[in-house]
Amino acid sequence: MSVILTLLAALIASGACAYHRASLRTFAFAAPVATLVVGLVADAPLTMIVLLVIELGIALPLLVGGFRKRQISAPLLKLFAKVTPKLSDTERTALEAGTVGFEGELFSGKPDWHELLKQPKPVLSVEEQAFMDGPVEELCGMIDDWQITHELADLPPEVWAFIKRNKFFGMIIPKRYGGLEFSALAHSAVLQKLNSMSATVASTVAVPNSLGPAELLLHYGSEEQKNELLPKLAVGEEIPCFALTGPYAGSDATSIPDTGIVCKQTVDGVETLGVRLSFDKRYITLAPVATLVGLAFHMYDPEHLLGDKDDIGITLALLPRETKGLEIGRRHFPLNIPFQNGPVRGKDVFVPLGTLIGGREMAGHGWRMLVECLSVGRAISLPSNATGGMRMGAVATGAYARMRKQFGLAVARFEGVEEALAKIGGLTYATAALSRSTAAAVDRGEKPAVTSAIAKYHATEWARVTAGATMDVHGGKAVQLGPSNYAGRGWASVPIAITVEGANIMTRSLMIFGQGAIRCHPYVLKEMHALTMADYGDKLRAFDSALFGHIGFGLSNAMRSFAMGLTGGRLGEAAGDAYTRRYYKKLNRYSAALALCADTFMGVLGGKLKFKEKLSARLGDVLSYLYIASAMLKRYEDTDRPEADRPFLAWGFHECMWLIQNALDGAIRNFPVRPVAWLLRALVFPLGRREVPPSDRLGRRVAALLTAPNEARDRLAEWTYLTPTANNTVGRMNALLPEVIAAEPVERKFLKALKAGEFKAHDYDDQLAEALAAGVLSQAEHDLIRRVRDATFEFISVDDFAPEELRAAVTRADRERRAKVA
């Protein structure tokens, strides 16, 4: 027994040092002292001496800096240099672009929650709120999405004019150039409200404010280019597009085959230095109407007219539409969502060097320019559009489920529908918090490379899930397209968002963990940087410091993961109030588990992990759900901890924990080195998998929030167009909802009398008249259910068409004949 007590003392002291991330000096003192004291008290001298020799034998050599560097770090430095895959220039650029925000804390295994909670609450300025209440509200009132998607396949001329006149294309452009100079939060809010009415309008507004000429000019353009082009872009005098994707290079943008050869050519009698371009691009949003085409190409200088290099690299240019040889092709038709989109081509198109963004000084820097700007655009445009659609879907589905009756009950009362409503409400709350968090990061000056990928992937994927649930609840109402169908186009548009700006499959399997593991890890980037140092002494010192910091980090995370796994994450202090403190503790546990698994996977597999995309994707999922759960908690704090929102928060949080557990389990279960996997399972899940998905009871509470007016539902519907105008079916449904609820007890009384056989009539109107005459209903009650029935009939009805209305104005045969003539 004395031997066991002495061993336990040594283990507990060592474990406590690891758990609290004590220094090596503290460990060298604490573990031997604990061993000595317990060994003497327990009378186990032999065990005590053996343990002291082991502890001091480990600690003392590590404390002698010179010995440690020569005998331990130097050999490991050679091994590390040998096994570490060499980063390509494009990979290094991608890693160096952008910044690390709170996601770095989540990767640390011990997040500092005060860093999250001290971030300022994101709010719109007075000017931005006025824009939301004025021009954005007015534009939403002008939108007829059926006209846009079916009749015109375009925005009406008055909508185009309104967008330009009110500077919707100039939200990111500073006021000194005539733009609105809005915050990222305002940019996000505008897109959310527009997308609640039309994905086509939202996409049209999003692109000029995302990755495109304005963003690139702001960061890299010459003063001459800024002064000439930004004022025109702000008011829509110039319509921009940006051509990156082609038939042979999509997500792999670094492999674009489009070329630009530096050469001289006589232009208007003057010999001009420029670039001869050949390119073939497709899927370019706004290209059919663009007057200014941004172009990415690979630039070469075989005659060395600019310097000694043949291969200059990826370069960006701006081509006016009237450029000779520039061909803007016919329109693409993306899933019946007719935002302007089409191909751009050119063969031997000569442009002067002045068309390069930033001039000749920025030649070859195009990949860095794209990566830095893409992270900002990806953080705003697609997550915001997805959130706007999800918010509108939540409001519409909740109201419809309360109005639609089957078997004498609102369909919202059926558990299957409750389950779909809970999914819609919980995921919408989580996605709204996610999009707000990434927008706030941009406003704080961050360039969120990792979290923008998280936001883009999960916002659009969850939009697909909630759009599917919306279709399920609406049934045939959502299937029949027409002016009164507000769900079908949203469902159709989701795959577009999933595909663009980095296909989601690639984003999940390559980008989130691939960048996050190196950028967010506190030591890996330092170790890799040490390899690049020229002086061996500096290299060894830097590597030694990072290496032993990394070892301590790994041991700490192993101990923290195991200890918190044993206690269900209840150890230690955490932020939050009495309700949310347990949530922060769970995140502490899974942060340690992520850091442990990431270190182990990278350490054991090395460069091979880069090709284990399914493992990387699962670890990326863990980081993503940690970040989303953190964003939800921050939103809860920013809204003054409203008790009414707790069902939304709880559903979203438990869903994230369930998904984290499944991702970790899948990663460990599929790890190829089985003994390591067994050890990881023991450390991460010492008591097995204990997380469960959101309960039915919790789902019922979320569904109840969606199907009745309340403050939590109002907050969920923020930045949604709900004005009950003639063009806004959902707005009118939402306005009717209080009366629908007020009519329910009256309807129950009426149906009870009907089932009792108190009425002789078979027609509903005659039955109502009998109920009024017999005193079953008062005049006010009669008028209420009559009014509600008449009003809801519009919302449960579907459209129909004469056959000629559905025939294409131009058939395929017509197009083939025109092509032959051309």
Side-chain angles (χ1 to χ4, degrees), residues 345-635:
R345 306 181 187 92
K347 177 70 174 175
D348 294 330
V349 178
F350 181 81
V351 295
L353 285 183
T355 60
L356 303 185
I357 297 177
R360 62 189 296 174
E361 291 78 13
M362 295 305 295
H365 295 285
W367 176 237
R368 175 171 63 85
M369 296 158 70
L370 289 172
V371 170
E372 291 180 350
C373 288
L374 185 61
S375 68
V376 176
R378 186 188 280 132
I380 305 300
S381 55
L382 292 167
S384 301
N385 285 353
T387 304
M390 292 171 74
R391 287 184 194 267
M392 183 60 102
V395 173
T397 310
Y400 182 83
R402 196 69 182 258
M403 294 177 186
R404 180 65 167 150
K405 303 293 195 298
Q406 293 286 286
F407 307 104
L409 288 173
V411 298
R413 303 299 185 195
F414 297 111
E415 289 198 351
V417 173
E418 267 186 1
E419 187 176 30
L421 288 170
K423 191 181 299 181
I424 292 169
L427 294 181
T428 299
Y429 183 89
T431 306
L434 173 61
S435 63
R436 182 184 290 263
S437 177
T438 49
V442 173
D443 282 332
R444 291 194 300 272
E446 296 179 23
K447 293 181 178 179
V450 176
T451 55
S452 67
I454 291 172
K456 190 272 177 180
Y457 175 80
H458 288 279
T460 55
E461 286 293 335
W462 280 349
R464 170 157 54 186
V465 173
T466 59
T470 296
M471 295 291 289
D472 288 346
V473 174
H474 283 79
K477 165 69 178 177
V479 170
Q480 302 299 334
L481 285 176
S484 63
N485 185 328
Y486 45 80
R489 295 300 192 199
W491 167 250
S493 70
V494 167
I496 301 170
I498 283 169
T499 301
V500 300
E501 289 196 25
N504 275 8
I505 288 178
M506 306 293 283
T507 299
R508 176 175 177 261
S509 60
L510 295 178
M511 292 183 62
I512 295 175
F513 182 76
Q515 288 192 359
I518 297 177
R519 289 194 57 81
C520 299
H521 197 288
Y523 296 104
V524 168
L525 204 56
K526 294 177 182 178
E527 290 164 340
M528 296 178 72
H529 179 67
L531 293 181
T532 66
M533 293 182 176
D535 182 80
Y536 181 77
D538 292 340
K539 178 186 296 188
L540 183 59
R541 279 190 294 274
F543 181 75
D544 175 78
S545 175
L547 173 66
F548 281 93
H550 195 161
I551 292 171
F553 176 76
L555 292 173
S556 173
N557 286 321
M559 188 65 228
R560 289 177 64 81
S561 181
F562 180 72
M564 288 189 282
L566 282 176
T567 63
R570 295 181 180 87
L571 276 182
E573 295 184 358
D577 58 14
Y579 179 76
T580 58
R581 197 167 294 123
R582 57 194 168 130
Y583 292 165
Y584 287 99
K585 289 183 177 181
K586 273 188 179 289
L587 294 180
N588 285 338
R589 174 193 174 183
Y590 288 117
S591 171
L594 170 63
L596 171 64
C597 289
D599 262 341
T600 305
F601 282 31
M602 288 189 290
V604 175
L605 297 180
K608 293 180 182 178
L609 181 58
K610 182 177 178 180
F611 304 102
K612 298 287 186 181
E613 294 174 19
K614 286 178 278 190
L615 293 180
S616 293
R618 293 183 180 107
L619 292 181
D621 289 343
V622 178
L623 177 60
S624 296
Y625 297 129
L626 286 171
Y627 181 75
I628 294 167
S630 304
M632 285 191 285
L633 290 169
K634 180 64 165 68
R635 172 188 169 137

Side-chain angles (χ1 to χ4, degrees), residues 321-340:
R321 187 183 183 100
E322 60 272 14
T323 300
K324 185 178 180 180
L326 171 61
E327 177 192 346
I328 295 180
R330 301 188 305 170
R331 290 178 60 180
H332 297 315
F333 196 28
L335 288 178
N336 238 6
I337 308 299
F339 58 91
Q340 296 285 337

Side-chain angles (χ1 to χ4, degrees), residues 142-345:
M142 298 171 66
I143 293 171
D144 179 343
D145 202 45
W146 179 251
Q147 178 194 38
I148 291 170
T149 58
H150 184 76
E151 296 173 359
L152 300 179
D154 193 6
L155 308 187
E158 63 271 18
V159 171
W160 276 110
F162 186 90
I163 287 171
K164 295 175 182 179
R165 184 169 64 250
N166 287 277
K167 301 183 180 181
F168 278 84
F169 291 159
M171 287 191 286
I172 66 170
I173 296 176
K175 291 180 179 178
R176 66 180 181 276
Y177 298 113
L180 296 174
E181 199 172 346
F182 278 173
S183 65
L185 183 69
H187 179 185
S188 176
V190 170
L191 294 181
Q192 288 185 45
K193 193 163 185 174
L194 294 179
N195 203 74
S196 71
M197 285 299 290
S198 171
T200 305
V201 175
S203 298
T204 300
V205 171
V207 168
N209 292 289
S210 182
L211 175 63
E215 180 85 11
L216 293 165
L217 284 171
L218 280 171
H219 290 88
Y220 311 108
S222 65
E223 285 304 312
E224 182 182 357
Q225 289 172 332
K226 292 178 184 178
N227 291 328
E228 178 189 357
L229 295 174
L230 288 177
K232 296 177 181 178
L233 289 168
V235 297
E237 185 179 337
E238 295 277 12
I239 302 294
C241 71
F242 190 82
L244 176 61
T245 302
Y248 300 104
S251 297
D252 183 16
T254 59
S255 299
I256 52 177
D258 311 288
T259 59
I261 308 300
V262 180
C263 62
K264 292 181 179 180
Q265 184 168 312
T266 301
V267 178
D268 296 331
V270 179
E271 187 177 61
T272 304
L273 182 61
V275 184
R276 188 173 65 252
L277 299 165
S278 293
F279 52 92
D280 184 6
K281 306 289 190 178
R282 63 181 182 181
Y283 311 149
I284 311 306
T285 300
L286 293 186
V289 296
T291 61
L292 188 65
V293 178
L295 183 71
F297 60 93
H298 205 117
M299 188 169 171
Y300 298 92
D301 184 14
E303 298 180 40
H304 295 172
L305 297 175
L306 298 181
D308 297 331
K309 292 174 64 177
D310 287 324
D311 185 347
I312 294 178
I314 294 176
T315 303
L316 310 182
L318 292 176
L319 281 61
R321 187 183 183 100
E322 60 272 14
T323 300
K324 185 178 180 180
L326 171 61
E327 177 192 346
I328 295 180
R330 301 188 305 170
R331 290 178 60 180
H332 297 315
F333 196 28
L335 288 178
N336 238 6
I337 308 299
F339 58 91
Q340 296 285 337
N341 187 272
V344 175
R345 306 181 187 92

Side-chain angles (χ1 to χ4, degrees), residues 724-741:
T725 53
N727 70 321
N728 190 7
T729 305
V730 177
R732 298 197 307 279
M733 284 174 58
N734 190 61
L736 182 65
L737 185 58
E739 281 204 306
V740 170
I741 295 171

Side-chain angles (χ1 to χ4, degrees), residues 117-149:
L117 298 180
K118 75 179 185 182
Q119 292 171 359
K121 174 183 176 180
V123 293
L124 299 179
S125 69
V126 173
E127 180 184 6
E128 291 166 345
Q129 187 61 57
F131 190 79
M132 290 289 292
D133 296 338
V136 179
E137 181 82 3
E138 188 175 349
L139 177 56
C140 287
M142 298 171 66
I143 293 171
D144 179 343
D145 202 45
W146 179 251
Q147 178 194 38
I148 291 170
T149 58

